[in-house]
Short mmCIF file of all heavy atoms in Angstrom, two decimals:
data_model
loop_
_atom_site.label_atom_id
_atom_site.label_comp_id
_atom_site.label_asym_id
_atom_site.label_seq_id
_atom_site.Cartn_x
_atom_site.Cartn_y
_atom_site.Cartn_z
N MET A 573 2.05 10.55 6.70
CA MET A 573 1.94 9.27 6.00
C MET A 573 1.10 9.46 4.75
O MET A 573 -0.06 9.84 4.81
CB MET A 573 1.28 8.25 6.92
CG MET A 573 1.25 6.86 6.30
SD MET A 573 0.72 5.66 7.50
CE MET A 573 0.94 4.17 6.52
N GLY A 574 1.69 9.20 3.59
CA GLY A 574 0.94 9.38 2.36
C GLY A 574 1.37 8.40 1.29
O GLY A 574 2.38 7.72 1.42
N SER A 575 0.58 8.33 0.24
CA SER A 575 0.87 7.40 -0.84
C SER A 575 2.10 7.84 -1.64
O SER A 575 2.62 7.07 -2.44
CB SER A 575 -0.33 7.30 -1.77
OG SER A 575 -0.69 8.59 -2.22
N GLU A 576 2.59 9.06 -1.40
CA GLU A 576 3.74 9.56 -2.15
C GLU A 576 5.01 8.78 -1.82
O GLU A 576 5.95 8.76 -2.59
CB GLU A 576 3.97 11.05 -1.85
CG GLU A 576 2.87 11.95 -2.34
CD GLU A 576 1.70 12.01 -1.38
OE1 GLU A 576 1.86 11.58 -0.23
OE2 GLU A 576 0.62 12.46 -1.78
N ASP A 577 5.05 8.14 -0.65
CA ASP A 577 6.25 7.46 -0.20
C ASP A 577 6.29 5.98 -0.58
O ASP A 577 7.24 5.29 -0.26
CB ASP A 577 6.39 7.57 1.32
CG ASP A 577 6.45 9.03 1.76
OD1 ASP A 577 7.06 9.83 1.04
OD2 ASP A 577 5.87 9.35 2.80
N LEU A 578 5.25 5.50 -1.25
CA LEU A 578 5.20 4.09 -1.60
C LEU A 578 6.30 3.73 -2.59
O LEU A 578 6.56 4.45 -3.54
CB LEU A 578 3.83 3.76 -2.22
CG LEU A 578 2.68 3.60 -1.23
CD1 LEU A 578 1.39 3.36 -2.00
CD2 LEU A 578 2.94 2.44 -0.29
N VAL A 579 6.95 2.58 -2.34
CA VAL A 579 8.02 2.12 -3.22
C VAL A 579 7.51 0.92 -4.02
O VAL A 579 6.88 0.02 -3.49
CB VAL A 579 9.26 1.72 -2.39
CG1 VAL A 579 10.33 1.11 -3.30
CG2 VAL A 579 9.82 2.93 -1.66
N CYS A 580 7.81 0.93 -5.30
CA CYS A 580 7.35 -0.13 -6.21
C CYS A 580 8.12 -1.42 -5.96
O CYS A 580 9.34 -1.42 -5.80
CB CYS A 580 7.54 0.33 -7.64
SG CYS A 580 7.07 -0.91 -8.85
N ALA A 581 7.39 -2.54 -5.95
CA ALA A 581 8.02 -3.84 -5.74
C ALA A 581 8.74 -4.32 -6.99
O ALA A 581 9.58 -5.21 -6.94
CB ALA A 581 6.98 -4.87 -5.32
N ARG A 582 8.41 -3.74 -8.11
CA ARG A 582 8.98 -4.20 -9.39
C ARG A 582 10.27 -3.48 -9.75
O ARG A 582 11.24 -4.11 -10.15
CB ARG A 582 7.92 -4.01 -10.47
CG ARG A 582 8.32 -4.58 -11.81
CD ARG A 582 7.13 -4.62 -12.72
NE ARG A 582 7.53 -4.93 -14.08
CZ ARG A 582 6.66 -5.00 -15.09
NH1 ARG A 582 5.39 -4.79 -14.88
NH2 ARG A 582 7.08 -5.28 -16.29
N CYS A 583 10.25 -2.15 -9.64
CA CYS A 583 11.42 -1.39 -10.08
C CYS A 583 12.13 -0.70 -8.92
O CYS A 583 13.13 -0.03 -9.13
CB CYS A 583 11.02 -0.37 -11.13
SG CYS A 583 9.96 0.95 -10.50
N SER A 584 11.60 -0.84 -7.70
CA SER A 584 12.20 -0.25 -6.51
C SER A 584 12.25 1.28 -6.55
O SER A 584 12.98 1.89 -5.79
CB SER A 584 13.60 -0.81 -6.26
OG SER A 584 13.52 -2.20 -6.05
N GLY A 585 11.51 1.86 -7.45
CA GLY A 585 11.43 3.33 -7.51
C GLY A 585 10.17 3.79 -6.82
O GLY A 585 9.32 3.00 -6.44
N LEU A 586 10.09 5.11 -6.65
CA LEU A 586 8.87 5.65 -6.06
C LEU A 586 7.71 5.50 -7.04
O LEU A 586 7.87 5.78 -8.23
CB LEU A 586 9.07 7.14 -5.72
CG LEU A 586 9.99 7.42 -4.53
CD1 LEU A 586 10.21 8.93 -4.40
CD2 LEU A 586 9.42 6.86 -3.24
N VAL A 587 6.58 5.04 -6.51
CA VAL A 587 5.41 4.79 -7.35
C VAL A 587 4.97 6.06 -8.08
O VAL A 587 4.59 6.01 -9.25
CB VAL A 587 4.25 4.21 -6.50
CG1 VAL A 587 2.94 4.23 -7.26
CG2 VAL A 587 4.60 2.79 -6.07
N ILE A 588 5.07 7.21 -7.39
CA ILE A 588 4.60 8.46 -8.02
C ILE A 588 5.46 8.86 -9.21
O ILE A 588 5.02 9.63 -10.05
CB ILE A 588 4.57 9.63 -7.00
CG1 ILE A 588 5.90 9.78 -6.29
CG2 ILE A 588 3.44 9.47 -6.02
CD1 ILE A 588 6.12 11.18 -5.75
N GLU A 589 6.69 8.30 -9.31
CA GLU A 589 7.53 8.65 -10.44
C GLU A 589 7.12 7.89 -11.70
O GLU A 589 7.50 8.27 -12.82
CB GLU A 589 8.99 8.37 -10.10
CG GLU A 589 9.52 9.35 -9.06
CD GLU A 589 10.96 9.04 -8.68
OE1 GLU A 589 11.59 8.15 -9.27
OE2 GLU A 589 11.47 9.71 -7.75
N GLY A 590 6.41 6.77 -11.52
CA GLY A 590 5.88 6.03 -12.67
C GLY A 590 6.93 5.48 -13.60
O GLY A 590 6.86 5.63 -14.81
N ARG A 591 7.95 4.80 -13.05
CA ARG A 591 9.04 4.30 -13.89
C ARG A 591 8.66 3.07 -14.70
O ARG A 591 9.27 2.80 -15.73
CB ARG A 591 10.24 3.96 -13.00
CG ARG A 591 10.89 5.20 -12.42
CD ARG A 591 12.12 4.81 -11.61
NE ARG A 591 12.54 5.91 -10.76
CZ ARG A 591 13.55 5.81 -9.90
NH1 ARG A 591 14.20 4.67 -9.78
NH2 ARG A 591 13.88 6.83 -9.15
N CYS A 592 7.72 2.28 -14.22
CA CYS A 592 7.32 1.06 -14.93
C CYS A 592 5.80 0.97 -14.97
O CYS A 592 5.11 1.70 -14.27
CB CYS A 592 7.94 -0.18 -14.26
SG CYS A 592 7.19 -0.59 -12.68
N PRO A 593 5.26 0.06 -15.80
CA PRO A 593 3.79 -0.07 -15.89
C PRO A 593 3.13 -0.32 -14.55
O PRO A 593 2.01 0.15 -14.30
CB PRO A 593 3.61 -1.27 -16.83
CG PRO A 593 4.84 -1.28 -17.67
CD PRO A 593 5.95 -0.82 -16.75
N THR A 594 3.79 -1.07 -13.66
CA THR A 594 3.23 -1.34 -12.34
C THR A 594 3.10 -0.04 -11.54
O THR A 594 2.08 0.19 -10.87
CB THR A 594 4.13 -2.33 -11.58
OG1 THR A 594 4.28 -3.49 -12.37
CG2 THR A 594 3.50 -2.71 -10.25
N CYS A 595 4.12 0.79 -11.62
CA CYS A 595 4.08 2.09 -10.94
C CYS A 595 2.91 2.92 -11.45
O CYS A 595 2.17 3.50 -10.66
CB CYS A 595 5.37 2.87 -11.21
SG CYS A 595 6.79 2.28 -10.31
N ARG A 596 2.78 2.99 -12.76
CA ARG A 596 1.74 3.83 -13.34
C ARG A 596 0.35 3.32 -12.97
O ARG A 596 -0.55 4.10 -12.67
CB ARG A 596 1.91 3.91 -14.86
CG ARG A 596 3.10 4.78 -15.23
CD ARG A 596 3.14 5.09 -16.70
NE ARG A 596 3.61 3.94 -17.48
CZ ARG A 596 4.90 3.68 -17.72
NH1 ARG A 596 5.83 4.47 -17.27
NH2 ARG A 596 5.25 2.63 -18.42
N ALA A 597 0.18 2.00 -12.96
CA ALA A 597 -1.11 1.42 -12.59
C ALA A 597 -1.41 1.70 -11.12
O ALA A 597 -2.53 2.07 -10.76
CB ALA A 597 -1.09 -0.08 -12.84
N SER A 598 -0.40 1.55 -10.26
CA SER A 598 -0.58 1.81 -8.84
C SER A 598 -0.90 3.27 -8.59
O SER A 598 -1.75 3.61 -7.77
CB SER A 598 0.69 1.43 -8.07
OG SER A 598 0.99 0.07 -8.28
N ARG A 599 -0.21 4.13 -9.33
CA ARG A 599 -0.42 5.56 -9.16
C ARG A 599 -1.85 5.95 -9.55
O ARG A 599 -2.49 6.72 -8.86
CB ARG A 599 0.58 6.31 -10.05
CG ARG A 599 0.65 7.80 -9.76
CD ARG A 599 1.76 8.45 -10.55
NE ARG A 599 1.65 8.18 -11.98
CZ ARG A 599 2.47 8.66 -12.92
NH1 ARG A 599 3.46 9.42 -12.55
NH2 ARG A 599 2.30 8.37 -14.18
N GLU A 600 -2.34 5.37 -10.63
CA GLU A 600 -3.72 5.63 -11.05
C GLU A 600 -4.70 5.13 -10.00
O GLU A 600 -5.67 5.79 -9.66
CB GLU A 600 -4.00 4.93 -12.39
CG GLU A 600 -3.69 5.79 -13.59
CD GLU A 600 -4.36 7.16 -13.52
OE1 GLU A 600 -5.60 7.20 -13.42
OE2 GLU A 600 -3.65 8.17 -13.54
N TYR A 601 -4.43 3.93 -9.48
CA TYR A 601 -5.30 3.33 -8.47
C TYR A 601 -5.35 4.22 -7.22
O TYR A 601 -6.42 4.51 -6.69
CB TYR A 601 -4.79 1.94 -8.12
CG TYR A 601 -5.62 1.25 -7.07
CD1 TYR A 601 -6.78 0.57 -7.40
CD2 TYR A 601 -5.23 1.28 -5.73
CE1 TYR A 601 -7.54 -0.06 -6.45
CE2 TYR A 601 -5.99 0.66 -4.76
CZ TYR A 601 -7.14 -0.01 -5.12
OH TYR A 601 -7.88 -0.63 -4.15
N LEU A 602 -4.18 4.67 -6.78
CA LEU A 602 -4.11 5.52 -5.59
C LEU A 602 -4.82 6.84 -5.81
O LEU A 602 -5.50 7.35 -4.94
CB LEU A 602 -2.65 5.76 -5.22
CG LEU A 602 -1.93 4.56 -4.64
CD1 LEU A 602 -0.43 4.83 -4.60
CD2 LEU A 602 -2.44 4.23 -3.25
N ARG A 603 -4.65 7.38 -7.02
CA ARG A 603 -5.26 8.66 -7.32
C ARG A 603 -6.79 8.55 -7.26
O ARG A 603 -7.47 9.43 -6.77
CB ARG A 603 -4.82 9.11 -8.72
CG ARG A 603 -5.10 10.57 -8.97
CD ARG A 603 -4.41 11.04 -10.24
NE ARG A 603 -2.95 11.10 -10.06
CZ ARG A 603 -2.08 11.28 -11.05
NH1 ARG A 603 -2.50 11.40 -12.27
NH2 ARG A 603 -0.79 11.34 -10.80
N ARG A 604 -7.30 7.43 -7.78
CA ARG A 604 -8.75 7.23 -7.78
C ARG A 604 -9.29 6.99 -6.38
O ARG A 604 -10.42 7.33 -6.09
CB ARG A 604 -9.10 6.03 -8.67
CG ARG A 604 -9.30 6.44 -10.11
CD ARG A 604 -9.71 5.25 -10.94
NE ARG A 604 -8.97 5.24 -12.19
CZ ARG A 604 -8.75 4.14 -12.91
NH1 ARG A 604 -9.19 2.98 -12.51
NH2 ARG A 604 -8.09 4.22 -14.03
N ASN A 605 -8.49 6.33 -5.55
CA ASN A 605 -9.00 5.92 -4.24
C ASN A 605 -8.49 6.81 -3.10
O ASN A 605 -8.80 6.54 -1.94
CB ASN A 605 -8.59 4.47 -3.96
CG ASN A 605 -9.31 3.53 -4.90
OD1 ASN A 605 -10.47 3.20 -4.70
ND2 ASN A 605 -8.64 3.10 -5.94
N SER A 606 -7.70 7.82 -3.41
CA SER A 606 -7.09 8.63 -2.35
C SER A 606 -8.14 9.35 -1.51
O SER A 606 -7.89 9.65 -0.35
CB SER A 606 -6.14 9.65 -2.96
OG SER A 606 -6.86 10.49 -3.84
N VAL A 607 -9.31 9.62 -2.07
CA VAL A 607 -10.33 10.36 -1.33
C VAL A 607 -10.95 9.48 -0.25
O VAL A 607 -11.27 9.95 0.83
CB VAL A 607 -11.42 10.87 -2.30
CG1 VAL A 607 -12.52 11.61 -1.53
CG2 VAL A 607 -10.82 11.76 -3.35
N THR A 608 -11.08 8.19 -0.57
CA THR A 608 -11.78 7.30 0.36
C THR A 608 -10.86 6.72 1.43
O THR A 608 -11.33 6.23 2.44
CB THR A 608 -12.44 6.15 -0.42
OG1 THR A 608 -11.46 5.50 -1.19
CG2 THR A 608 -13.56 6.66 -1.29
N ILE A 609 -9.53 6.75 1.19
CA ILE A 609 -8.60 6.17 2.16
C ILE A 609 -8.21 7.23 3.20
O ILE A 609 -7.62 8.25 2.87
CB ILE A 609 -7.35 5.63 1.46
CG1 ILE A 609 -7.75 4.46 0.55
CG2 ILE A 609 -6.32 5.16 2.49
CD1 ILE A 609 -6.59 3.93 -0.27
N SER A 610 -8.57 6.98 4.44
CA SER A 610 -8.24 7.90 5.52
C SER A 610 -7.14 7.29 6.39
O SER A 610 -6.95 6.08 6.39
CB SER A 610 -9.49 8.16 6.37
OG SER A 610 -9.90 6.97 6.99
N PRO A 611 -6.41 8.12 7.14
CA PRO A 611 -5.38 7.59 8.04
C PRO A 611 -5.93 6.56 9.01
O PRO A 611 -5.26 5.59 9.35
CB PRO A 611 -4.88 8.83 8.76
CG PRO A 611 -5.18 9.96 7.83
CD PRO A 611 -6.44 9.57 7.12
N GLN A 612 -7.16 6.78 9.47
CA GLN A 612 -7.78 5.83 10.39
C GLN A 612 -7.94 4.46 9.74
O GLN A 612 -7.71 3.44 10.35
CB GLN A 612 -9.16 6.34 10.84
CG GLN A 612 -9.09 7.49 11.83
CD GLN A 612 -8.89 8.83 11.13
OE1 GLN A 612 -8.94 8.92 9.91
NE2 GLN A 612 -8.67 9.87 11.91
N LEU A 613 -8.33 4.46 8.46
CA LEU A 613 -8.51 3.21 7.74
C LEU A 613 -7.17 2.50 7.56
O LEU A 613 -7.07 1.28 7.73
CB LEU A 613 -9.14 3.50 6.36
CG LEU A 613 -9.41 2.27 5.49
CD1 LEU A 613 -10.41 1.34 6.18
CD2 LEU A 613 -9.95 2.69 4.14
N ILE A 614 -6.12 3.26 7.26
CA ILE A 614 -4.79 2.68 7.10
C ILE A 614 -4.34 2.04 8.41
O ILE A 614 -3.82 0.92 8.42
CB ILE A 614 -3.78 3.76 6.64
CG1 ILE A 614 -4.13 4.19 5.21
CG2 ILE A 614 -2.35 3.22 6.69
CD1 ILE A 614 -3.42 5.45 4.77
N LEU A 615 -4.55 2.73 9.53
CA LEU A 615 -4.18 2.18 10.84
C LEU A 615 -4.96 0.90 11.12
O LEU A 615 -4.41 -0.07 11.65
CB LEU A 615 -4.45 3.21 11.94
CG LEU A 615 -3.44 4.36 12.02
CD1 LEU A 615 -3.92 5.41 13.01
CD2 LEU A 615 -2.07 3.85 12.43
N ALA A 616 -6.24 0.88 10.76
CA ALA A 616 -7.06 -0.31 10.97
C ALA A 616 -6.53 -1.47 10.14
O ALA A 616 -6.44 -2.60 10.61
CB ALA A 616 -8.51 -0.01 10.60
N ILE A 617 -6.14 -1.19 8.89
CA ILE A 617 -5.60 -2.24 8.01
C ILE A 617 -4.29 -2.78 8.59
O ILE A 617 -4.07 -3.99 8.63
CB ILE A 617 -5.39 -1.68 6.59
CG1 ILE A 617 -6.76 -1.42 5.93
CG2 ILE A 617 -4.58 -2.66 5.74
CD1 ILE A 617 -6.68 -0.60 4.66
N ILE A 618 -3.43 -1.87 9.06
CA ILE A 618 -2.15 -2.30 9.66
C ILE A 618 -2.40 -3.19 10.87
O ILE A 618 -1.75 -4.22 11.05
CB ILE A 618 -1.30 -1.07 10.04
CG1 ILE A 618 -0.82 -0.36 8.77
CG2 ILE A 618 -0.11 -1.47 10.91
CD1 ILE A 618 -0.20 1.00 9.03
N ALA A 619 -3.37 -2.81 11.72
CA ALA A 619 -3.69 -3.60 12.91
C ALA A 619 -4.16 -4.99 12.52
O ALA A 619 -3.77 -5.99 13.14
CB ALA A 619 -4.77 -2.88 13.72
N ILE A 620 -4.99 -5.09 11.48
CA ILE A 620 -5.50 -6.38 11.04
C ILE A 620 -4.36 -7.24 10.49
O ILE A 620 -4.26 -8.44 10.79
CB ILE A 620 -6.60 -6.17 9.97
CG1 ILE A 620 -7.85 -5.57 10.63
CG2 ILE A 620 -6.95 -7.50 9.29
CD1 ILE A 620 -8.85 -5.00 9.63
N VAL A 621 -3.48 -6.62 9.69
CA VAL A 621 -2.36 -7.36 9.11
C VAL A 621 -1.44 -7.89 10.21
O VAL A 621 -0.99 -9.04 10.18
CB VAL A 621 -1.57 -6.45 8.13
CG1 VAL A 621 -0.25 -7.10 7.74
CG2 VAL A 621 -2.42 -6.18 6.89
N MET A 622 -1.16 -7.05 11.23
CA MET A 622 -0.30 -7.48 12.33
C MET A 622 -0.93 -8.62 13.11
O MET A 622 -0.26 -9.56 13.55
CB MET A 622 -0.02 -6.30 13.26
CG MET A 622 0.98 -5.32 12.66
SD MET A 622 1.26 -3.91 13.73
CE MET A 622 2.31 -4.67 14.97
N MET A 623 -2.26 -8.56 13.29
CA MET A 623 -2.98 -9.61 14.00
C MET A 623 -2.89 -10.92 13.23
O MET A 623 -2.63 -11.99 13.79
CB MET A 623 -4.44 -9.19 14.17
CG MET A 623 -5.20 -9.97 15.20
SD MET A 623 -6.88 -9.32 15.38
CE MET A 623 -7.59 -9.83 13.82
N LEU A 624 -3.07 -10.84 11.90
CA LEU A 624 -2.98 -12.04 11.06
C LEU A 624 -1.56 -12.60 11.08
O LEU A 624 -1.38 -13.82 11.10
CB LEU A 624 -3.40 -11.69 9.63
CG LEU A 624 -4.89 -11.43 9.43
CD1 LEU A 624 -5.15 -10.92 8.02
CD2 LEU A 624 -5.71 -12.69 9.68
N ALA A 625 -0.56 -11.73 11.07
CA ALA A 625 0.83 -12.17 11.12
C ALA A 625 1.11 -12.89 12.43
O ALA A 625 1.79 -13.92 12.45
CB ALA A 625 1.76 -10.96 10.96
N ALA A 626 0.59 -12.36 13.52
CA ALA A 626 0.78 -12.99 14.83
C ALA A 626 0.13 -14.37 14.86
O ALA A 626 0.69 -15.33 15.39
CB ALA A 626 0.18 -12.10 15.93
N LEU A 627 -1.05 -14.47 14.27
CA LEU A 627 -1.73 -15.75 14.21
C LEU A 627 -0.94 -16.74 13.35
O LEU A 627 -0.83 -17.92 13.69
CB LEU A 627 -3.14 -15.56 13.62
CG LEU A 627 -4.18 -14.96 14.57
CD1 LEU A 627 -5.46 -14.65 13.79
CD2 LEU A 627 -4.50 -15.92 15.71
N ALA A 628 -0.38 -16.27 12.24
CA ALA A 628 0.39 -17.13 11.35
C ALA A 628 1.62 -17.66 12.06
O ALA A 628 1.97 -18.84 11.92
CB ALA A 628 0.79 -16.34 10.10
N VAL A 629 2.29 -16.81 12.84
CA VAL A 629 3.48 -17.23 13.59
C VAL A 629 3.09 -18.29 14.61
O VAL A 629 3.77 -19.29 14.79
CB VAL A 629 4.14 -16.02 14.28
CG1 VAL A 629 5.19 -16.47 15.28
CG2 VAL A 629 4.76 -15.10 13.23
N ARG A 630 1.96 -18.07 15.27
CA ARG A 630 1.50 -19.02 16.28
C ARG A 630 1.20 -20.37 15.66
O ARG A 630 1.46 -21.42 16.24
CB ARG A 630 0.26 -18.45 16.97
CG ARG A 630 0.09 -18.97 18.38
CD ARG A 630 -1.04 -18.25 19.10
NE ARG A 630 -0.64 -16.89 19.49
CZ ARG A 630 -1.46 -16.03 20.09
NH1 ARG A 630 -2.70 -16.35 20.35
NH2 ARG A 630 -1.05 -14.84 20.43
N HIS A 631 0.65 -20.36 14.44
CA HIS A 631 0.33 -21.61 13.76
C HIS A 631 1.59 -22.31 13.26
O HIS A 631 1.63 -23.53 13.18
CB HIS A 631 -0.61 -21.33 12.58
CG HIS A 631 -2.05 -21.26 13.00
ND1 HIS A 631 -2.82 -22.40 13.20
CD2 HIS A 631 -2.85 -20.22 13.25
CE1 HIS A 631 -4.03 -22.01 13.56
NE2 HIS A 631 -4.08 -20.70 13.60
N ALA A 632 2.60 -21.54 12.91
CA ALA A 632 3.82 -22.09 12.33
C ALA A 632 4.64 -22.84 13.38
O ALA A 632 5.34 -23.79 13.06
CB ALA A 632 4.66 -20.97 11.71
N THR A 633 4.57 -22.45 14.62
CA THR A 633 5.40 -23.05 15.66
C THR A 633 4.71 -24.24 16.31
O THR A 633 3.52 -24.32 16.33
CB THR A 633 5.75 -22.02 16.75
OG1 THR A 633 4.55 -21.39 17.21
CG2 THR A 633 6.69 -20.98 16.23
ZN1 ZN B 1664 7.73 0.35 -10.70
#
């Protein structure tokens, strides 16, 4: 799992290819923060997002 596989929401291309300004900005951001982001942190973020999504579904019904 790495930032190389991220797909841009604007141009639908790979962020690392830098096809649009959003890609290039994201790529710079990832490059600067890649040292501090660990797989454990990503898993923790995913767990929090899923928990929030579950809460949102519960509130919606
Ligand atoms: Zn893009």
Side-chain angles (χ1 to χ4, degrees):
M573 186 171 185
S575 55
E576 294 82 15
D577 301 323
L578 282 176
V579 175
C580 178
R582 186 168 169 181
C583 67
S584 299
L586 288 174
V587 167
I588 52 156
E589 290 178 5
R591 290 183 196 177
C592 72
T594 305
C595 285
R596 287 191 284 273
S598 301
R599 192 173 54 178
E600 270 308 302
Y601 179 83
L602 288 168
R603 195 168 290 170
R604 272 183 224 156
N605 292 280
S606 60
V607 179
T608 55
I609 295 175
S610 64
Q612 287 83 7
L613 181 62
I614 292 167
L615 284 173
I617 290 167
I618 290 169
I620 290 165
V621 168
M622 285 178 76
M623 196 177 70
L624 288 172
L627 284 172
V629 168
R630 206 172 286 177
H631 276 279
T633 51

